[in-house]
Amino acid sequence: MKTGAANVRGKPRARTATKARLHPAKTQRGKVEMPLAVKPARGRPRKVDNKAEPSVRERILEVAERLFAEYGMTGVGLRAITTEAKVNLASIAYHFGSKDGLLEALFAQRAAPIAEERLRLLALACEKSDPPKLEAILDAFLRPSLVLGADPRFGGPAFVKLRARLGNEPETLSRKILSKAFDQSSRKFIDALALSLPKVPRADIEWRFHFLLGAMFYTMADSGRIQALTNGRCDPSDVAAALRHMIPFLAAGFRSAPVA
Amino acid sequence: MKTGAANVRGKPRARTATKARLHPAKTQRGKVEMPLAVKPARGRPRKVDNKAEPSVRERILEVAERLFAEYGMTGVGLRAITTEAKVNLASIAYHFGSKDGLLEALFAQRAAPIAEERLRLLALACEKSDPPKLEAILDAFLRPSLVLGADPRFGGPAFVKLRARLGNEPETLSRKILSKAFDQSSRKFIDALALSLPKVPRADIEWRFHFLLGAMFYTMADSGRIQALTNGRCDPSDVAAALRHMIPFLAAGFRSAPVA
DNA sequence: GTCTATATTCAGATAGAC
DNA sequence: GTCTATCTGAATATAGAC
């Protein structure tokens, strides 16, 4: 043994130097001769979606999202996912290459719409008022993250929870994924906040943005703690109520005097 | 298979109905006759602590705290812990019974001092002013959590991180442990906050306390995200700076008008 | 209390038939 | 694309010698 920092269940396997069938070996199926008799509807087989019956890929994504959110990446085995999704174990390797690949695919699917909606709302807020109103900026930042996840068309609350979990982890993969998905829009929001609060120094804005992230992630994580503390009166899974309370709270914090 | 909700790596093992040697089988070693010749220093063998060389138990706790914080409970195997602590694998079962028992022992050791210090500072704040000053309450709540962990005598920043990780998990064990350790003091703080802000309805206080928890845990987790977003200018591991910014920010939020 | 050895189940990944 | 079967290693836990 003796791998330096102990063997900590990171990056397993890949033992022998086999051909490695590197996963994006898709695309090149049956690309041999193809007599091309009747010109068969160019491109991929079309996936006519005759009955909204979810494909294997979709079923895996849906189940993985839910289980990763509930038990964490390391808390769920591939077998748990394939069993519940009623698909074959090997299909994960086929469609996603690896467990990490599965997580990346999950975010590739869900994160972009959220980030886009955020920026759309921010642009809207900037149109309406110059400098933009603080509450509008905060709303633009928070609403898509909380609401898109509550929409079953976007996979329901599972993705919200998953993102919150990753947001509080120092792991490299989690950080990389979140950075890639949201850093750009986050920077734009920091700029917008600074613009709307010209009296507050940049350093203070940044700290306050950090607290904003914390409140947001904790709400998204929905750990059940505040429900227990308040006998259920305060329930973060009520997205509308959460936004109604969170935005004025944060706005007051952002407007407070700089610490100098 | 078919265990209902898929096999999700919760509670493994314990397969056959053996004698279960339930772990607190300690205490009863060599309790046979003991001639009692020279009255051998009653109680346990004393553990004279001749050279501050940490015991096996302490080494396990120290390493487990660090690895659990960094990779999460499910992300670390017992082998990783015993290897790095340079102790035998079986010693975890001997001293703590199980992996979960190890986590519980960790909290049993560290959480009580934090909760006590919290209440001590709260009492102090209540003495100095009636009703207590909001900033003093917030400081009493936050400071022990952030500062005791930053003190190497208390195990360093590892416990802080671990607690933050657990705080954002919906898992049952995490919740149970945190509830047991901190619910009582948290309730007292909610009461104190309500007392110091008589114009703010209880429901608002509770939501705001929730956001406070989020900001606190996110600071404790130190995921590295805000550092990346600000090129290192904002660094939550600087505990003094974190408190200096967090307390006024939260105080302003708590003082803002109720949402009605 | 500490150790070796082992039991059993699970992990992620891959090979190769179909 | 989907499947079965398998590899290798690691998971937690326990039995029992010393």
Side-chain angles (χ1 to χ4, degrees):
Chain A
M1 250 306 162
K2 202 50 95 164
T3 57
N7 167 9
V8 81
R9 221 205 250 188
K11 299 302 102 181
R13 248 49 66 184
R15 73 207 114 85
T16 58
T18 64
K19 212 42 130 344
R21 154 147 109 39
L22 70 169
H23 138 263
K26 283 183 294 188
T27 57
Q28 51 147 330
R29 57 125 200 193
K31 200 52 154 303
V32 265
E33 284 308 318
M34 176 76 93
L36 224 278
V38 286
K39 197 156 198 264
R42 202 133 39 125
R44 63 181 72 178
R46 234 32 213 87
K47 192 83 195 71
V48 193
D49 192 49
N50 12 4
K51 205 57 65 53
E53 185 182 324
S55 70
V56 167
R57 204 188 130 94
E58 283 160 351
R59 278 214 300 280
I60 293 172
L61 285 170
E62 191 267 321
V63 172
E65 185 168 74
R66 235 178 36 235
L67 295 186
F68 284 168
E70 202 65 22
Y71 304 98
M73 268 286 278
T74 52
V76 183
L78 298 184
R79 280 168 180 80
I81 296 169
T82 53
T83 302
E84 179 148 341
K86 296 205 240 298
V87 301
N88 189 273
L89 172 62
S91 56
I92 289 187
Y94 178 78
H95 287 285
F96 307 101
S98 70
K99 196 186 189 182
D100 287 357
L102 173 52
L103 184 67
E104 281 167 20
L106 252 166
F107 266 78
Q109 182 189 230
R110 297 239 187 272
I114 293 177
E116 282 164 22
E117 176 72 357
R118 243 188 205 171
L119 292 177
R120 197 183 66 82
L121 293 177
L122 178 60
L124 226 78
C126 290
E127 267 176 39
K128 274 211 273 203
S129 155
D130 182 32
K133 192 164 181 305
L134 177 57
E135 276 80 0
I137 300 175
L138 295 174
D139 189 279
F141 188 79
L142 298 168
R143 185 172 296 277
S145 293
L146 301 187
V147 162
L148 281 195
D151 187 331
R153 285 175 304 145
F154 290 89
F159 182 72
V160 181
K161 244 175 165 160
L162 174 57
R163 196 178 140 207
R165 202 185 258 268
L166 264 51
N168 277 275
E169 284 175 0
E171 257 106 305
T172 6
L173 178 63
S174 313
R175 275 231 301 254
K176 231 184 47 191
I177 289 182
L178 283 183
S179 275
K180 189 176 154 197
F182 295 110
D183 270 12
Q184 208 186 5
S185 86
S186 288
R187 279 179 218 275
K188 286 214 166 77
F189 273 88
I190 294 180
D191 290 341
L193 288 165
L195 209 74
S196 120
L197 295 164
K199 309 260 252 312
V200 181
R202 182 81 178 188
D204 289 76
I205 297 276
E206 289 167 350
W207 272 103
R208 291 166 188 194
F209 186 76
H210 167 77
F211 302 137
L212 152 66
L213 285 181
M216 180 186 81
F217 280 139
Y218 194 57
T219 301
M220 288 163 62
D222 193 18
S223 72
R225 185 125 147 79
I226 194 68
Q227 289 97 317
L229 280 173
T230 64
N231 302 323
R233 282 190 306 275
C234 175
D235 181 4
S237 70
D238 178 347
V239 175
L243 282 172
R244 212 166 52 235
H245 283 90
M246 192 169 4
I247 290 173
F249 177 87
L250 295 174
F254 268 100
R255 285 206 181 92
S256 63
V259 302
Chain B
M1 251 305 167
K2 195 54 70 173
T3 57
N7 167 9
V8 81
R9 221 204 250 189
K11 301 300 100 176
R13 248 53 66 188
R15 72 209 113 82
T16 58
T18 64
K19 210 43 126 348
R21 156 149 108 41
L22 70 172
H23 137 262
K26 282 181 293 188
T27 57
Q28 51 146 333
R29 58 113 209 197
K31 201 50 153 303
V32 266
E33 285 307 321
M34 175 76 94
L36 223 276
V38 284
K39 197 156 197 265
R42 201 138 35 133
R44 64 181 71 178
R46 239 25 218 94
K47 190 83 195 72
V48 194
D49 193 48
N50 12 6
K51 206 57 66 58
E53 185 181 325
S55 70
V56 168
R57 203 188 129 94
E58 282 160 351
R59 278 214 300 280
I60 293 171
L61 285 171
E62 191 266 322
V63 172
E65 185 168 75
R66 234 177 37 234
L67 294 186
F68 284 166
E70 203 63 24
Y71 305 98
M73 269 285 279
T74 52
V76 183
L78 298 183
R79 275 169 181 79
I81 297 169
T82 54
T83 302
E84 180 148 340
K86 296 204 240 298
V87 301
N88 189 274
L89 173 62
S91 54
I92 289 187
Y94 178 79
H95 287 286
F96 306 101
S98 70
K99 196 185 188 182
D100 287 357
L102 173 52
L103 184 67
E104 282 166 20
L106 253 166
F107 266 78
Q109 181 189 231
R110 296 241 187 272
I114 293 177
E116 281 164 23
E117 176 71 356
R118 244 188 204 172
L119 291 177
R120 197 183 67 80
L121 292 178
L122 178 60
L124 226 79
C126 290
E127 266 177 40
K128 273 210 274 203
S129 156
D130 182 34
K133 192 164 181 311
L134 178 57
E135 275 81 359
I137 300 174
L138 295 174
D139 189 279
F141 188 79
L142 297 168
R143 186 172 296 277
S145 293
L146 302 188
V147 163
L148 281 194
D151 187 331
R153 284 177 304 146
F154 291 89
F159 182 73
V160 180
K161 244 176 164 156
L162 174 58
R163 196 178 141 210
R165 203 184 255 270
L166 264 50
N168 277 274
E169 283 175 357
E171 258 107 303
T172 7
L173 178 64
S174 312
R175 274 231 301 252
K176 232 184 47 190
I177 289 184
L178 282 184
S179 275
K180 188 177 156 196
F182 294 111
D183 270 13
Q184 208 186 6
S185 87
S186 287
R187 280 179 218 275
K188 286 214 166 75
F189 273 87
I190 294 179
D191 290 342
L193 289 165
L195 209 73
S196 118
L197 295 164
K199 309 260 253 311
V200 181
R202 183 80 176 191
D204 290 76
I205 297 275
E206 289 167 350
W207 272 102
R208 291 165 187 193
F209 186 76
H210 168 77
F211 302 136
L212 152 65
L213 285 181
M216 180 186 81
F217 280 139
Y218 194 58
T219 301
M220 288 163 62
D222 193 18
S223 70
R225 186 121 145 79
I226 194 69
Q227 289 97 318
L229 280 173
T230 64
N231 303 323
R233 283 191 305 275
C234 175
D235 182 3
S237 72
D238 178 346
V239 175
L243 281 173
R244 211 164 54 234
H245 283 89
M246 192 166 9
I247 290 172
F249 177 86
L250 296 173
F254 268 99
R255 284 206 181 93
S256 63
V259 303

